[in-house]
Amino acid sequence: MRIRRRGLVAAILATPCIAGAQSAPPARPIRLIAPFPPGGGVDLTARLLADPLSRELGQTVVVENRGGAGGVIGVEAMSRAAPDGTTLSLTGAGTITAGPHLRALPYDALGLAHITRLVRMPFIVAVRTDLPARTLPEFLDLARRHELRYASGGAGTSQHLTGELFNQMAGLRMLHVPYRGTGPALNDLAARVVDVYFGDPATLALINSGGARAIAVTSPQRWPLLPDAPAVAEGVPGYESENWYGLAAPPGTPPDILRSLHAAVVKVMRDPANVRRFDEAGLHPAVMELDDYAAFLRADSARWEGVVRRGNIRIDG
């Protein structure tokens, strides 16, 4: 029997008892967990994805923010859901590839049903407006003479580890100040409570409004959205730390559902209109095939394991 695919719902077979029939998710809304509070890059990615993915699947995709523990609470909630394709979560280095080296996680990070990387982007090294450093060399000099405070969206997040990598490679001793998500960290940067923030693209709005200044970006080369901000590598040779967000389903998700979700997400993320929306937000589509994504996750895990070991970093709880 040939099934015309209209998203995952159309894959439901009229005769589910037939041996060898494909698995199919229930015909109900898909819950897309953004494991951080509203106002950051993870939340923005989820919301940019939800509507076009709803149309592609023929099912409503509802974004649910479940912040806490550097994203772990939201990913754990997804991992415990029924493996039927109706609960998904955004993921990142802090919850998948770096997290296992920092603390015991309540899920098997690499054992989740990983669908694809969604986007990649640099971090923005943003500083408070009154910091007495206007250039990257001035910033490095200031940070070597004074213990600056750098904010992140949570202990163990990729923002935290990007700052730690900066410390290690530049010979700095900046003090990490973790927050419960991007929004609170940005608020304290604007209020000059902290000195530096390794920000995701949500930081652009604060920079453009004059609430913070961009000293550098963490990509290997300059970023077109902030052309005047140098790459950190211009002052710290070899430095590179690009952020990424991925998409995962609970462990045990049937392979055919995983493949259907992968195909739908890749189609959405490669649509020119959607590419334009993501690019304008500073979130650059970077989907991967299932096998390539699995290899990427293993390599990223090995990289952050080294950073965590050199920094002797451990997070309790």
Side-chain angles (χ1 to χ4, degrees), residues 255-289:
D256 57 311
I257 290 180
L258 186 62
R259 287 192 296 269
S260 293
L261 285 166
H262 175 269
V265 171
V266 167
K267 183 177 179 181
V268 164
M269 296 299 295
R270 287 178 174 166
D271 178 85
N274 294 326
V275 169
R276 183 169 61 253
R277 294 186 190 98
F278 277 92
D279 277 342
E280 288 172 350
L283 301 157
H284 307 303
V287 290
M288 307 175 81
E289 296 304 314

Side-chain angles (χ1 to χ4, degrees), residues 126-132 149 189 192-196 211-213:
V127 301
R128 57 184 172 88
T129 54
D130 63 340
L131 193 76
R149 297 158 298 170
L189 180 65
R192 304 173 183 176
V193 174
V194 291
D195 303 301
V196 191
R213 289 188 284 109

Side-chain angles (χ1 to χ4, degrees), residues 122 136 217-232 234:
L136 178 59
V217 293
T218 64
S219 48
Q221 294 85 33
R222 296 195 181 206
W223 192 33
L225 293 184
L226 285 171
D228 294 331
V232 171
E234 294 178 35

